[in-house]
Amino acid sequence: MDARPDSIDDANVRNLDADPDSIDDANTRNLHSNPDPMDDAPPGDQHGEGTGTECNLVVLPDGTKQWLPNCNSESTPYVGQEFATLDDGIEFYRAYASIAGFDIRNGTKRQLDIGHKIFVANCARANIGSTKSWRLYKEMVGSFTDIGATSTDFCNFRRDLLAYIAGADAQMVVEDMYKNKEMEPDFYFDFDLNEDRELCRLFWADTISRMNFACFGDVMSFDATYSTNRYKLVFVPFTGVDNHKRSITFGSGLIAREDVESYEWLLKNFKNAKGYAPRCVITDQDPALKIAVPNIMPETRHRFCMWHIMEKVGDKAGIALAKNMEFRKALNNIVWDETLSAPEFELQWAEVMKAYNLVDHRWFEQMYKARESCIPTYFQDIFMGGLLKTTSHSESENSYFGNFTNHHNSLVEFLMQYNRAIGEQRHAQQKLNVEGESSFPATKTPLAIERQAAAMYTKNIFYDFQEEIWDGSFRCRITCETNDNGDRKYSVHVTGEKLFEVTHEEATQKTECNCNKFNRVGILCKHVLAVFKNEGVEEIPSRYIVARWTKNACAQPMYNVVWKAPNTTQGGNELRTIANQLWNEFYKCMGLANGCPDEMDLMLSTMQELKGRLKSARQHTKPNTTAPSVIETILNASAPAEIQIKPPSIAKNKGSGKRLKGNKEKATEKNKKKGEDMRYL
């Protein structure tokens, strides 16, 4: 660099391998900050007994006065000067300070190196903030002085990350989608722009998501969630249930508006990605969804979430009935009973409405008119795959994703966190698969049919089946048996429950129960199992084994989808894979050496030797370690040369602003506040 070798100012200090706070030029600071009449006097004359050398007064172009010590050029630091180690640099400057006549002190080195930056980025992927990252780094290295940076530096690097993304946020996300498509031919995505070329809609589903739908896509739910990104785009994950009865993701979307057009666009892309529509979809009673779902998926049964509907009963029925437990019990008994037939439900509903003077109540009339879209009675003929009658799996999924995202996320950060969440979800599923293959749950009866179920079903499904086996063996009693031309009928009574009828057709070998559990859930009910035990049936007939609940469900997809040949290239992930392996090996070595001084000394000396070699190699090769290249490595993406897709404007949706509170919630808060006020009287 072009600098005077006989000058000393803040630039010289900054260009040593240390922080402005690390080496403190007291004289320079005092001269800058003290508007004293003695400014024109040499430093030695100001302090009376100074030990410093003579100084020359220099007036800078902006009028600032500086005293520059007279010192030979060999002892004076200059801009661009390099030292083998930080200690060498500090020792050189200490000698210079002694000659020049000022004191220095050692502080914290504040320049982030690439190791710091990668650590901050990895913490961000794990949803750990900058300040906590700094504290965690301290625990790893032992003390604050060993960190080599301050918490502000950690925060500033995250700021630099966001600044790097800035106006290229949407462009980088879409380019990342194109990269995924190149590496993974079965990856599907689509996006839409508004008139200002701002990203307003995005849908994506990777190969595994599409395969999961092929195996478990008979029933699906989706529910919008908010506060996942800084643009307030609505996040819509499509959720199903796997063979372990766990939530599984079929694909996801981001939309700027919750209108019919946006939901129709999402559902069209979902259908294009999967090739099929699910048999049943469960959503809340969003007006846009009531139109969009039947328009795009006319062959799909659209069911409304019963929990959302029943939550409104207290507000709609009035204060008196809201507190009436008998009314609540009577209504719940008919609304949630999955064994009622349609005529039974309609009769019992009319009785409850009449008993509590609700016959002409507008809201209950609307609920009755919509009964075929929400009441379990009207869904006995369709398999519900464990989703039952609510969007609880979707809400659980939304809560799960909420643990990874926040309303400050850029789209690049959101997608990074989404991929991490999906990775953990799939890891949990694989873990259950492995545990299922290597373990055999304990049986409770000596029946061969229970042992067959234990070997065939996943553990969670087996436990449900085991409960039915137990009840069928010990709680069910066959009270009547009739035979009509080879077809047999059994009346089965369960202690504490009503009577159910099981029918067996000899010609078709079909056995059915009027509780319809098999049609709804996909496992045999206790009533049929009681009859099987009575008749000596030792195996579940193949027609009553639903493949989606078995251990090898993924080998028996319900939808026939032709997959493209996978591309084995890893794209830009090779370096990250190697870096992850290095960290893994390092921690393994730490684990092996920990507690053994000799081994730890050996590991330390080996790493120090390696560090010296790497430093030497880096000085000769002069690699590009500027901030953008480090950030590009971390994000696995570079800032686009041209921005054609602008980031979204801040969206305004029903869930993005202040939430509207119901009467019940307002009353609860009012009573709580009144109770708090009474305590101070």
Side-chain angles (χ1 to χ4, degrees):
M1 292 184 178
D2 185 17
R4 290 174 50 188
D6 59 342
S7 65
I8 174 66
D9 58 15
D10 285 344
N12 296 76
V13 179
R14 278 196 301 270
N15 281 277
L16 289 171
D17 190 13
D19 173 14
D21 293 340
S22 339
I23 302 175
D24 190 2
D25 187 340
N27 287 348
T28 303
R29 271 209 308 273
N30 288 337
L31 288 170
H32 279 274
S33 59
N34 247 335
D36 193 283
M38 296 187 69
D39 274 351
D40 292 335
D45 294 343
Q46 294 176 16
H47 297 288
E49 294 187 272
T51 59
T53 64
E54 293 181 359
C55 297
N56 295 325
L57 175 65
V58 175
V59 180
L60 300 180
D62 62 357
T64 303
K65 297 175 182 178
Q66 288 185 347
W67 289 101
L68 303 180
N70 284 329
C71 187
N72 61 59
S73 58
E74 290 81 6
S75 303
T76 303
Y78 58 90
V79 176
Q81 186 174 4
E82 295 184 356
F83 301 92
T85 66
L86 176 61
D87 291 338
D88 291 345
I90 293 174
E91 190 57 39
F92 180 89
Y93 200 78
R94 183 177 284 113
Y96 167 69
S98 177
I99 296 171
F102 60 85
D103 296 326
I104 67 170
R105 63 179 175 84
N106 290 343
T108 306
K109 177 188 173 187
R110 290 177 54 185
Q111 183 179 1
L112 288 185
D113 59 27
I114 190 169
H116 288 112
K117 294 172 182 178
I118 291 173
F119 180 80
V120 175
N122 286 337
C123 285
R125 289 191 188 100
N127 223 15
I128 299 173
S130 301
T131 302
K132 286 186 177 179
S133 303
W134 181 71
R135 292 171 183 159
L136 180 60
Y137 200 93
K138 176 260 176 188
E139 295 301 323
M140 292 171 60
V141 298
S143 68
F144 290 111
T145 56
D146 293 324
I147 295 176
T150 66
S151 61
T152 302
D153 298 323
F154 273 52
C155 293
N156 286 346
F157 179 65
R158 178 168 169 76
R159 175 204 61 195
D160 295 342
L161 270 173
L162 295 176
Y164 182 80
I165 296 168
D169 199 4
Q171 184 80 38
M172 290 174 74
V173 164
V174 172
E175 288 185 2
D176 185 60
M177 295 283 176
Y178 278 114
K179 281 184 184 177
N180 290 336
K181 181 68 176 175
E182 287 178 12
M183 293 187 293
E184 196 179 320
D186 287 305
F187 182 92
Y188 179 95
F189 83 98
D190 197 7
F191 65 95
D192 194 20
L193 309 178
N194 61 18
E195 58 275 7
D196 297 320
R197 297 199 62 78
E198 295 175 341
L199 182 69
C200 61
R201 298 171 188 144
L202 178 66
F203 173 84
W204 69 99
D206 66 3
T207 305
I208 296 177
S209 295
R210 297 177 70 188
M211 288 180 173
N212 285 336
F213 180 82
C215 297
F216 309 111
D218 40 8
V219 184
M220 176 183 78
S221 74
F222 62 95
D223 187 35
T225 185
Y226 311 90
S227 300
T228 62
N229 58 85
R230 62 168 59 181
Y231 307 103
K232 297 185 179 179
L233 297 182
V234 180
F235 175 48
V236 187
F238 295 86
T239 305
V241 175
D242 67 9
N243 53 339
H244 302 282
K245 290 182 68 176
R246 303 286 290 268
S247 295
I248 194 168
T249 306
F250 295 147
S252 298
L254 286 168
I255 52 177
R257 299 181 62 186
E258 287 188 275
D259 55 12
V260 174
E261 183 182 354
S262 295
Y263 276 121
E264 286 187 343
W265 184 91
L266 266 187
L267 292 171
K268 281 178 185 176
N269 276 285
F270 182 90
K271 203 171 174 180
N272 289 340
K274 310 304 177 183
Y276 297 88
R279 298 171 193 166
C280 183
V281 167
I282 304 175
T283 71
D284 60 17
Q285 287 183 293
D286 187 290
L289 290 174
K290 288 181 179 180
I291 299 171
V293 172
N295 281 356
I296 305 303
M297 299 178 174
E299 68 278 25
T300 299
R301 288 280 297 274
H302 185 197
R303 183 170 184 174
F304 301 141
C305 172
M306 271 300 300
W307 183 85
H308 283 100
I309 295 171
M310 294 301 291
E311 193 185 33
K312 301 175 185 176
V313 169
D315 288 336
K316 303 297 183 181
I319 297 174
L321 284 180
K323 295 179 179 179
N324 189 327
M325 291 298 104
E326 290 298 320
F327 164 71
R328 288 293 192 120
K329 184 178 179 181
L331 186 64
N332 285 333
N333 284 345
I334 60 171
V335 164
W336 295 107
D337 191 346
E338 297 175 293
T339 65
L340 289 178
S341 64
E344 287 174 331
F345 168 80
E346 291 164 8
L347 177 63
Q348 292 184 32
W349 174 275
E351 290 174 353
V352 171
M353 294 298 104
K354 185 177 180 180
Y356 293 97
N357 298 318
L358 295 171
V359 174
D360 297 320
H361 193 286
R362 183 180 174 186
W363 185 80
F364 283 97
E365 279 186 353
Q366 290 175 343
M367 184 178 175
Y368 183 72
K369 288 178 181 177
R371 64 191 182 279
E372 293 187 9
S373 297
C374 58
I375 302 298
T377 292
Y378 297 91
F379 288 85
Q380 291 185 357
D381 60 332
I382 187 168
F383 176 74
M384 295 307 299
L387 283 171
L388 302 179
K389 49 262 176 191
T390 71
T391 56
S392 58
H393 277 276
S394 276
E395 288 167 15
S396 173
E397 181 98 326
N398 293 348
S399 175
Y400 172 75
F401 282 116
N403 294 328
F404 295 84
T405 61
N406 63 66
H407 63 280
H408 297 299
N409 284 153
S410 64
L411 292 180
V412 171
E413 289 178 300
F414 167 79
L415 203 61
M416 191 186 300
Q417 295 297 342
Y418 172 86
N419 290 334
R420 177 173 159 254
I422 289 293
E424 285 197 17
Q425 185 185 79
R426 289 172 182 170
H427 172 72
Q429 185 190 34
Q430 289 170 357
K431 185 179 177 183
L432 288 172
N433 288 340
V434 171
E435 289 176 355
E437 292 295 334
S438 60
S439 63
F440 194 86
T443 57
K444 292 184 177 180
T445 70
L447 299 176
I449 201 170
E450 185 182 7
R451 293 194 298 274
Q452 178 199 9
M456 177 178 59
Y457 289 132
T458 60
K459 192 176 290 186
N460 288 338
I461 298 302
F462 168 71
Y463 288 145
D464 289 345
F465 185 84
Q466 188 178 58
E467 188 175 331
E468 298 296 322
I469 279 276
W470 180 266
D471 288 347
S473 299
F474 301 107
R475 291 187 60 218
C476 290
R477 185 165 50 90
I478 299 175
T479 58
C480 181
E481 179 181 345
T482 59
N483 193 323
D484 182 16
N485 295 325
D487 294 341
R488 297 188 296 277
K489 290 185 179 180
Y490 305 84
S491 296
V492 182
H493 181 259
V494 183
T495 306
E497 297 180 15
K498 66 181 185 180
L499 201 67
F500 290 93
E501 188 175 89
V502 176
T503 304
H504 175 77
E505 295 180 1
E506 192 63 34
T508 60
Q509 291 297 302
K510 201 179 197 181
T511 306
E512 292 183 341
C513 177
N514 61 356
C515 76
N516 286 305
K517 185 179 183 73
F518 178 78
N519 292 338
R520 292 181 284 106
V521 181
I523 61 173
L524 289 171
C525 65
K526 52 196 161 199
H527 317 111
V528 169
L529 291 171
V531 171
F532 280 1
K533 181 189 174 188
N534 186 67
E535 298 297 326
V537 177
E538 295 188 349
E539 287 188 354
I540 303 172
S542 59
R543 70 188 307 158
Y544 297 115
I545 298 173
V546 177
R548 62 135 35 244
W549 292 138
T550 62
K551 293 178 181 179
N552 63 341
C554 294
Q556 306 174 67
M558 59 183 70
Y559 298 120
N560 184 24
V561 180
V562 178
W563 305 104
K564 299 174 183 175
N567 191 336
T568 56
T569 54
Q570 295 295 315
N573 292 329
E574 297 95 332
L575 289 176
R576 183 178 296 175
T577 301
I578 295 171
N580 291 339
Q581 289 175 345
L582 282 171
W583 281 112
N584 193 25
E585 293 299 327
F586 169 76
Y587 282 113
K588 284 180 179 177
C589 289
M590 279 292 295
L592 292 169
N594 190 35
C596 303
D598 293 341
E599 283 81 353
M600 292 179 74
D601 285 340
L602 174 63
M603 183 177 172
L604 180 60
S605 61
T606 303
M607 291 190 67
Q608 287 174 335
E609 180 186 350
L610 178 61
K611 184 176 75 171
R613 287 165 53 193
L614 293 173
K615 268 190 172 182
S616 177
R618 184 171 285 266
Q619 286 174 354
H620 286 94
T621 56
K622 296 287 184 183
N624 179 19
T625 55
T626 57
S629 66
V630 174
I631 292 173
E632 286 169 12
T633 302
I634 291 166
L635 296 177
N636 194 31
S638 57
E642 181 183 0
I643 297 177
Q644 299 178 335
I645 302 171
K646 299 177 184 177
S649 299
I650 303 299
K652 294 182 179 179
N653 290 291
K654 62 183 180 182
S656 60
K658 189 174 181 180
R659 185 172 60 85
L660 297 176
K661 299 177 182 179
N663 294 332
K664 182 179 178 181
E665 190 173 358
K666 289 178 181 177
T668 303
E669 290 184 356
K670 185 177 179 181
N671 291 335
K672 183 180 178 182
K673 186 177 180 182
K674 186 185 293 185
E676 290 175 351
D677 292 341
M678 290 293 291
R679 285 186 297 175
Y680 296 100
L681 294 179

